């Protein structure tokens, strides 16, 4: 130490030592807080999960779901907690379930989770089941089709979209993959019993009867009896349905849903004890929100909404304002067209994550009452409602479609894809709506927005290029994208035809035709390629060939601009021969 440095006196030395100790202590406390955060989050997560178990075991769905959401807030990446919430919402028939199953798939993208999403979508979606279809198609791309459950769900989708042959084919494949699984045989027999081939139908019926008498497998017997009840009702035999339903209710695995189905059977059979059975089920439903919702929906679906309303009004207000039940009350009021009652019921409430649905219902109530200004105010709130990952808006879009509100559903879909662009089904809905309407400009707008959200997907680039070329929009970008996707995959026939069309528009028809003619003839015969083959052959004066390709494309769906191209070739081409 240099001698000219003044030595520190004792008081100053103690002060510095104290300040140093405080600084170290604060640093350690800060580190303890930082290091302790994960442990605290884990504690909170465990605590909320314990509370969820306790509430759900006691039938308190509102607080059970709240606790599950709080557990997810503590650990947003816990796939098991998300799965539990998704399963609970599915049981309650909540449209929010689909969003949570998608979240589960994002957290753990397994085939099993994708299948759970498909299963929920088939239960909760409206035809044509876009999420179920999209997810199954994704599984095909991922090579996850060698699973019996994949084929079971694909069969269910085919059945619900009235493609019976495809449904049978998928179930046959499920049986081949798991030949010892009698459940697949049961499902296949359930389809075949409705065959127009009497021999096939009789064999299937005998198999269902044998499975229903399976003492070694009570669960399989229960499922077989459920199938027999449904088939008997479908075939107009309520007495047989009643016999099978009575046997079913004697099994220990029969649930409340089976009792509600028995109510359907009694109505079909014209039994005088129907109302007594209904009153018994209302008593059994008690304060169970899921059961109350199911029974109220049964009444509403059968034009007995006033009965549903009278019964619901006897229940405690706390139960009626429970999320699944309050929507059932709203459905009853819609069925009764009691728009003033609907507005009075919904206005003071708040549905948390589902509030966009409440606001949509209020929009309808105000519109039906002729209160346009109020309806518009509610509608603005629908579009601006916070929705997190967009699940509530997705549910609203489905409901609007069932109401026939096409433009409003379209508006919601636009908000949804801009807020949550991972909702692929919403993009596809926008595309399909415009394609069906022949709205090429609208289709271009959708794909341009899609390209902004997903700038590296070649198929989207190609569609923006092709539509831009057809419309003459932003041609520099269209030509650049067409060349880009072609160079990325010179064997893709759609990319080749788009790039060829770009070259043709720029005057290089010779090179364009060379590219198309390098494709196999079977590919050139595809309608989406044939339309461009016809156009370029015509430009080269090869009219006979042009006419053949134009005729090939003419009977298939096309955009108006493509149709005009085909019609131009057919109109200008000399008669054949």
């Amino acid at each position: 130490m240099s001698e000219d440095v003044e030595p520190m006196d004792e008081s100053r030395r103690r002060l510095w030592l104290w300040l140093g100790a405080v600084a170290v202590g604060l640093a350690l406390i800060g580190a303890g807080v930082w290091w302790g955060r994960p442990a605290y989050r884990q504690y909170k997560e465990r605590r909320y999960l314990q509370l969820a178990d306790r509430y759900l075991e006691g039938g308190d769905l509102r607080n059970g779901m709240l606790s599950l959401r709080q557990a997810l807030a503590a650990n947003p990446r816990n796939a098991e907690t998300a799965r539990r919430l998704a399963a609970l919402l599915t049981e309650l028939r909540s449209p929010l379930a689909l969003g949570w199953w998608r979240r589960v798939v994002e957290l753990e993208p397994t085939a099993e989770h994708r299948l759970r999403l498909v299963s929920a979508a088939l239960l909760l979606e409206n035809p044509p089941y876009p999420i179920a279809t999209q997810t199954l198609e994704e599984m095909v791309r991922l090579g996850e089709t060698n699973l019996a459950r994949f084929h079971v769900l694909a069969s269910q989708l085919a059945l619900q979209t009235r493609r019976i042959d495809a449904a049978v084919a998928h179930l046959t494949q499920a049986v081949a993959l798991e030949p010892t699984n009698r459940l697949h045989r049961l499902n296949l027999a359930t389809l075949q019993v409705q065959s127009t081939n009497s021999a096939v139908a009789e064999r299937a019926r005998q198999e269902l009867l044998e499975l229903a008498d399976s003492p070694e497998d009570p669960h399989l017997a229960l499922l077989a009896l459920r199938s027999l009840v449904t088939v008997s009702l479908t075939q107009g035999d309520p007495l047989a349905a009643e016999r099978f339903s009575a046997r079913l209710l004697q099994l220990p695995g029969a649930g409340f849903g089976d009792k509600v189905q028995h109510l359907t059977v009694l109505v079909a059979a014209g039994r005088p004890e129907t109302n007594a059975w209904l009153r018994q089920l209302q008593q059994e439903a008690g304060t169970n929100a899921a059961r109350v919702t199911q029974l109220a929906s049964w009444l509403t679906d059968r034009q007995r909404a006033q009965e549903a309303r009278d019964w619901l009004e006897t229940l405690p207000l706390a139960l009626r304002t429970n999320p699944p039940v309050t929507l059932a009350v709203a459905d009853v009021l819609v069925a009764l067209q009691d728009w003033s009652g609907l507005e009075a019921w919904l206005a003071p409430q708040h549905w948390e994550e589902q509030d966009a649905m409440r606001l949509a219902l209020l929009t309808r109530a105000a519109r039906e009452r002729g209160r346009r200004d109020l309806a518009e105010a509610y509608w603005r709130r629908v579009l601006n409602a916070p929705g997190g990952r967009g699940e509530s808006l997705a549910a609203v879009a489905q409901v609007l479609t069932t109401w026939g509100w096409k433009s409003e559903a379209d508006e919601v879909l636009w908000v949804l894809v801009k807020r949550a662009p991972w909702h692929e089904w919403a993009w596809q809905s926008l595309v399909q709506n415009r394609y069906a309407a022949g709205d090429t400009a609208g289709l271009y707008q959708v794909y341009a927005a899609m390209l902004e959200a997903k700038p590296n997907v070649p198929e989207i680039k190609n569609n923006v290029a092709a539509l831009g070329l057809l419309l003459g929009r932003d041609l520099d970008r269209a030509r650049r994208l067409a060349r880009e996707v072609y160079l990325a995959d010179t064997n893709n026939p759609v990319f080749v035809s788009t790039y060829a069309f770009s070259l043709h528009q720029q005057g290089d028809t010779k090179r364009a035709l060379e590219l198309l003619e390098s494709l196999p003839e079977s590919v050139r015969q595809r309608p989406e390629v044939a339309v461009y083959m016809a156009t370029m052959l015509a430009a080269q004066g090869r009219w006979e060939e042009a006419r053949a390709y134009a005729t090939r494309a003419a009977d298939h769906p096309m955009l108006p601009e493509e149709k005009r191209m085909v019609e131009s070739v057919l109109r200008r081409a000399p008669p054949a021969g």
Side-chain angles (χ1 to χ4, degrees):
M1 180 181 291
S2 172
E3 291 183 0
D4 60 350
V5 175
E6 184 179 28
M8 185 181 296
D9 63 35
E10 185 63 20
S11 62
R12 289 176 63 196
R13 187 179 69 82
R14 283 198 302 270
L15 175 63
W16 282 108
L17 286 173
W18 182 82
L19 290 173
V22 170
V24 171
L26 289 173
L28 290 173
I29 290 170
V33 168
W34 178 257
W35 292 332
R37 278 182 184 173
Y40 179 60
R41 284 199 300 268
Q42 291 169 8
Y43 164 77
K44 284 205 302 183
E45 181 184 9
R46 287 195 303 270
R47 174 63 177 156
Y48 287 134
L49 288 174
Q50 290 169 356
L51 285 172
D53 289 338
R54 187 183 309 162
Y55 286 130
L56 293 174
E57 286 172 5
D60 187 346
L61 294 176
R62 183 195 294 272
N63 284 312
M65 285 192 290
L66 176 61
S67 297
L68 286 174
R69 289 194 181 102
Q70 288 171 324
L72 278 168
N75 181 5
R77 301 200 61 78
N78 188 321
E80 176 58 22
T81 304
R83 188 199 61 76
R84 287 184 60 187
L85 183 56
L88 179 59
L89 289 168
T90 303
E91 181 183 350
L92 295 172
R93 304 296 195 270
S94 168
L96 292 179
L98 297 180
W100 281 107
W101 280 121
R102 281 194 292 267
R103 176 62 174 158
V104 172
V105 170
E106 289 172 12
L107 292 172
E108 288 187 359
T110 65
E112 172 59 25
H113 287 155
R114 274 185 275 273
L115 290 172
R116 295 291 294 273
L117 171 57
V118 172
S119 181
L122 289 172
L123 179 68
L124 299 172
E125 279 192 289
N126 296 316
Y129 308 99
I131 296 173
T133 301
Q134 174 199 328
T135 308
L136 287 172
E137 289 174 349
E138 181 184 3
M139 294 186 73
V140 171
R141 290 194 297 272
L142 294 171
E144 295 176 341
T145 61
N146 200 34
L147 300 165
R149 184 157 165 73
F150 169 87
H151 290 285
V152 169
L153 291 172
S155 171
Q156 187 178 340
L157 174 61
L159 184 62
Q160 292 180 202
T161 51
R162 300 184 180 182
R163 294 177 292 119
I164 304 301
D165 290 344
V168 171
H170 277 296
L171 281 179
T172 301
Q173 185 63 28
V175 171
L177 287 168
E178 293 182 356
T180 61
N181 190 326
R182 300 174 76 191
L183 180 58
H184 303 327
R185 286 174 48 204
L186 185 152
N187 287 328
L188 184 57
T190 301
L191 281 182
Q192 292 177 331
V193 78
Q194 302 175 66
S195 172
T196 54
N197 184 318
S198 58
V200 171
E202 183 56 30
R203 281 198 303 271
R205 182 177 178 81
Q206 289 304 315
E207 181 151 25
L208 286 176
L209 290 170
E210 289 174 13
L211 293 170
D213 289 322
S214 303
E216 74 282 3
D217 192 342
H219 180 63
L220 189 66
L222 181 142
L223 295 176
L225 285 168
R226 283 178 180 163
S227 292
L228 286 165
V229 171
T230 302
V231 168
S232 298
L233 285 173
T234 302
Q235 295 180 340
D237 190 352
L239 297 181
E242 187 176 10
R243 290 195 301 273
F244 292 128
S245 184
R247 286 176 56 188
L248 170 57
L249 294 180
Q250 298 303 312
L251 297 178
F256 189 77
D258 296 308
K259 295 179 180 181
V260 174
Q261 176 76 313
H262 189 67
L263 190 58
T264 303
V265 171
L266 292 175
V267 170
R271 295 301 187 193
E273 62 267 29
T274 300
N275 287 333
W277 184 254
L278 172 60
R279 287 191 294 272
Q280 180 179 327
L281 293 187
Q282 289 171 337
Q283 291 176 351
E284 285 189 31
T287 57
N288 184 301
R291 291 182 176 184
V292 168
T293 301
Q294 186 176 4
L295 196 53
S297 297
W298 185 92
L299 287 165
T300 304
D301 292 343
R302 285 158 182 79
Q303 291 74 51
R304 298 172 67 171
Q306 187 58 53
E307 290 180 64
R309 181 180 192 172
D310 293 342
W311 170 53
L312 289 169
E313 287 179 350
T314 68
L315 301 176
L317 181 62
L319 176 61
R320 283 184 285 141
T321 54
N322 202 314
V325 180
T326 194
L327 184 54
V329 174
D331 285 341
V332 166
L333 294 170
V334 169
L336 293 171
Q337 298 187 3
D338 183 356
W339 309 116
S340 297
L342 182 63
E343 186 171 358
W345 172 248
L346 295 175
Q349 297 186 40
H350 188 277
W351 289 5
E352 300 173 354
E353 290 183 350
Q354 293 193 62
D355 209 45
M357 181 68 75
R358 181 184 71 92
L359 293 167
L361 288 163
L362 282 167
T363 301
R364 182 172 183 187
R367 186 178 294 185
E368 295 284 358
R369 295 175 64 202
R371 302 181 64 185
R372 291 287 174 179
D373 290 344
L374 182 59
E376 182 62 24
Y378 281 133
W379 181 245
R380 291 299 113 202
R381 290 173 63 190
V382 170
L383 299 178
N384 294 321
R389 298 173 51 78
E391 286 78 14
S392 60
L393 283 178
V396 167
Q398 288 196 56
V399 169
L400 294 174
T401 301
T402 65
W403 292 349
W405 289 19
K406 293 183 179 180
S407 62
E408 290 84 355
D410 200 75
E411 196 172 358
V412 167
L413 288 172
W414 268 117
V415 173
L416 178 60
V417 296
K418 289 177 180 178
R419 183 183 299 178
W422 53 83
H423 284 278
E424 186 63 29
W425 69 270
W427 286 112
Q428 293 308 315
S429 294
L430 289 169
V431 167
Q432 290 165 9
N433 292 344
R434 282 151 183 76
Y435 197 86
D439 181 5
T440 310
L443 203 54
Y444 178 76
Q445 181 186 13
V446 172
Y447 276 114
M450 201 184 297
L451 185 61
E452 289 183 17
K454 307 172 185 182
N456 299 316
V457 180
E459 290 77 11
I460 299 175
K461 291 181 180 180
N462 176 79
N463 290 338
V464 171
L467 292 165
L469 293 169
L470 284 171
L471 293 166
R473 299 264 188 95
D474 200 349
L475 288 175
D476 288 341
R477 179 173 76 160
R479 291 163 182 165
R480 173 177 55 79
L481 290 173
R483 184 172 186 275
E484 193 177 305
V485 295
Y486 166 72
L487 292 176
D489 187 355
T490 57
N491 294 317
N492 186 308
V494 176
F495 296 174
V496 170
S497 62
T498 300
Y499 184 48
F501 189 44
S502 172
L503 292 174
H504 166 68
Q505 285 193 341
Q506 295 174 75
D508 194 356
T509 303
K510 182 175 181 295
R511 171 62 178 152
L513 200 49
E514 287 174 356
L515 288 177
L516 287 174
E517 289 183 324
S518 70
L519 298 171
E521 176 60 22
S522 60
V523 173
R524 297 201 299 269
Q525 288 291 331
R526 295 180 189 174
E528 67 271 20
V529 178
V531 60
Y532 296 99
M533 281 294 300
T535 299
M536 286 165 224
L537 285 166
Q540 293 289 90
R542 294 162 61 179
W543 291 105
E544 186 174 348
E545 295 169 88
R547 170 179 284 278
Y549 279 109
T551 302
R552 171 68 178 162
D555 294 332
H556 291 79
M558 288 181 289
L559 292 169
E561 290 76 9
E562 293 173 321
K563 188 174 293 185
R564 285 195 288 271
M565 289 163 58
V566 168
E567 290 172 348
S568 175
V569 171
L570 292 174
R571 185 174 58 253
R572 293 164 52 209

